[in-house]
Amino acid sequence: MQSAFDMRAVIARSRLGPLLVLAAVLTACGGGGGGGGEPVPTPVAPSIMSQPLSQSVVAGQSATFTVQAAGDAPLAYQWMRDTNPIAGAVQSSYTLGSPTIADSGSKWSVRVSNAGGTVTSAEAVLTVTTPAVVVPPAISVVKANLGVVTVAGVDPSGNTLFAQYENSASDWKLFLRKMGPDGAQLPNGAGGQGISVAPFPSMGLYEFNLGWGGGTYDAAGNLYQAVSTFTPGGLNIARLLNGGAISRVSADGTVTKLVEWPPGSAGAMAPAGLAIGPDGALYFVDQLSGNLVAWTAQGGTRGVVKLRRPLKGDFAGALETSIVVTPDNKIYVMDRNLLKRIDGSTVTIVAGSLFSGTIVDGDTGSGNTGTTDGTGSAALFLKPGAMTLDAAGNLLVADFSTIRKVTPAGVVTTVAGVPAPNQFPNASSPPLREGPLTNSLGLYVAPIALGADGVVHAFVYPTAATYPGLGSSIQQTLVKIRLH
């Protein structure tokens, strides 16, 4: 029989048992409030792994900025424009739906935060540009009543440069003029009336229009002008070519004679058709020998190849020939309705139909006339008056009342204007009409020049009333022809 003391011990142990079990469980779980447990880790603060990128968009085109951040979740985002929070912009990317020009230059950043801290991204700059104006191919009039224009060019600003005949004090003089893209005549000489380059080296030009042998502009806006000299003519007395010169006319009207071949001198030349090569050499056709010639101040003249027979007999005016020299020094000559390429001493007919029996005495031939498009000899030219080179390496030819494109492979297509039935305009010839490229360019097109934007600047005789021999007021009109 247990004593009272023993019974009290049993009861104590029975009451302590659950507490001891609970203490054992808590100890196994690391609890119990005592030391020896691991501390709760501090959250990893956010960091920027990929910054928002600056971008440029056209007005109306959405712009999206994106950030990539690392750090313990959850990460909170707040986008800002010019450091100002944007309401509701709380995702890892932000899209500005339809930016305007007023949004250009704005700065965009994002603040990323979590329980461990906050980081702000670098600023991305938004540039918004004006949408490009899509202008359909078309013919548009810039300025009418410009007299007789001999040569045209376009400066880097898109201004039209041209040389114009003007009757001044009972004498024909040459004036340099410059016109803005909108047709406004720009200051060019006192009062903006143009720069007179008279007295130009006339050297015996008894009729104002006979001796001008062509001109061209360089990239700096200097005009290079060829002239020919000839003996006086009259009733039953022939005018005979006997010399010539090439001069440079600077933008301020200063005339510098580069080279002169005095009348009747040994080796005299009469230049026609003028072009500048990539090396600065001047190329022309010498009417007295029929040769294509290159001239430089350092090396003088160099015969390139014979193209045609010399001009003999009564001189009726300078040859209608156009020359283009490509950046890789390929030489193209439009000579009597044939487009010819000169490779060394070899002359190749690129386009045009050779007129039978014309290749004699070193002559490289003349072409049949017509307006047929085609490749090589299947194409016909009517009466080319000017030629220029486009950025793609195609030649653009002003062919009487049209613009024709000739590819390096000799494919000829009419790209603007209405082909004339022949070389003799009359009162019923279609007048100049603005609008689609299939509209009329008037009675005759030349000279032409090409702007950096691919737009052709062309001087045309718009109506029969303005055409030489048909009208009483001979006037050309400047038009722009957008081909693309």
Side-chain angles (χ1 to χ4, degrees), residues 139 371 382 399-404 414-422 429-433 436-445:
I139 300 165
T371 59
L382 186 60
D399 187 18
F400 207 72
S401 61
T402 62
I403 300 294
R404 318 278 296 277
T414 300
V415 294
V418 177
N422 53 51
S429 297
L432 170 66
R433 184 182 173 194
L437 297 178
T438 52
N439 283 356
S440 172
L441 284 170
L443 279 67
Y444 185 78
V445 183

Side-chain angles (χ1 to χ4, degrees), residues 1-7 10:
M1 183 175 180
Q2 291 179 322
S3 66
F5 176 80
D6 292 335
M7 288 301 293
V10 170

Side-chain angles (χ1 to χ4, degrees), residues 27-45:
T27 300
C29 293
E38 294 294 331
V40 176
T42 301
V44 176

Side-chain angles (χ1 to χ4, degrees), residues 30-317:
E38 294 294 331
V40 176
T42 301
V44 176
S47 60
I48 304 295
M49 306 301 293
S50 178
Q51 300 281 358
L53 298 177
S54 296
Q55 54 188 289
S56 177
V57 298
V58 175
Q61 175 187 338
S62 64
T64 298
F65 300 96
T66 301
V67 69
Q68 290 183 358
D72 281 350
L75 294 176
Y77 300 89
Q78 176 60 65
W79 285 90
M80 295 172 288
R81 172 176 174 158
D82 297 328
T83 71
N84 299 312
I86 304 168
V90 292
Q91 303 297 323
S92 61
S93 65
Y94 176 74
T95 298
L96 181 64
S98 185
T100 67
I101 297 299
D103 295 310
S104 190
S106 56
K107 298 177 181 179
W108 303 77
S109 59
V110 60
R111 185 171 59 237
V112 185
S113 60
N114 66 4
T118 300
V119 65
T120 301
S121 73
E123 290 183 319
V125 178
L126 175 62
T127 301
V128 184
T129 60
T130 303
V133 178
V134 179
V135 181
I139 300 165
S140 58
V141 172
V142 178
K143 191 79 170 181
N145 300 320
L146 294 174
V148 179
V149 178
T150 65
V151 58
V154 182
D155 71 13
S157 299
N159 301 311
T160 307
L161 310 175
F162 60 101
Q164 175 193 58
Y165 283 127
E166 187 171 302
N167 196 324
S168 176
S170 300
D171 187 20
W172 286 92
K173 295 181 180 181
L174 194 66
F175 283 79
L176 293 187
R177 300 199 184 277
K178 180 164 66 172
M179 187 168 291
D182 59 353
Q185 191 150 294
L186 300 178
N188 193 224
Q193 82 283 7
I195 295 174
S196 170
V197 296
F200 201 82
S202 58
M203 302 179 300
L205 299 185
Y206 298 98
E207 283 82 12
F208 79 94
N209 64 338
L210 291 179
W212 301 105
T216 188
Y217 282 94
D218 65 14
N222 298 304
L223 169 66
Y224 293 77
Q225 181 69 53
V227 294
S228 299
T229 58
F230 47 89
T231 60
L235 184 63
N236 298 322
I237 300 176
R239 290 175 290 242
L240 302 177
L241 275 174
N242 56 16
I246 299 174
S247 298
R248 181 182 63 240
V249 187
S250 63
D252 64 0
T254 302
V255 179
T256 303
K257 189 183 298 182
L258 301 177
V259 57
E260 180 181 4
W261 297 277
S265 61
M269 295 187 178
L274 202 58
I276 304 174
D279 58 354
L282 296 175
Y283 291 82
F284 60 89
V285 175
D286 172 28
Q287 301 168 98
L288 288 171
S289 67
N291 294 333
L292 176 68
V293 176
W295 177 87
T296 63
Q298 299 77 21
T301 55
R302 171 179 61 87
V304 178
V305 70
K306 190 170 185 66
L307 286 175
R308 57 181 299 150
R309 286 176 289 178
L311 281 186
K312 295 180 179 179
D314 188 35
F315 177 57

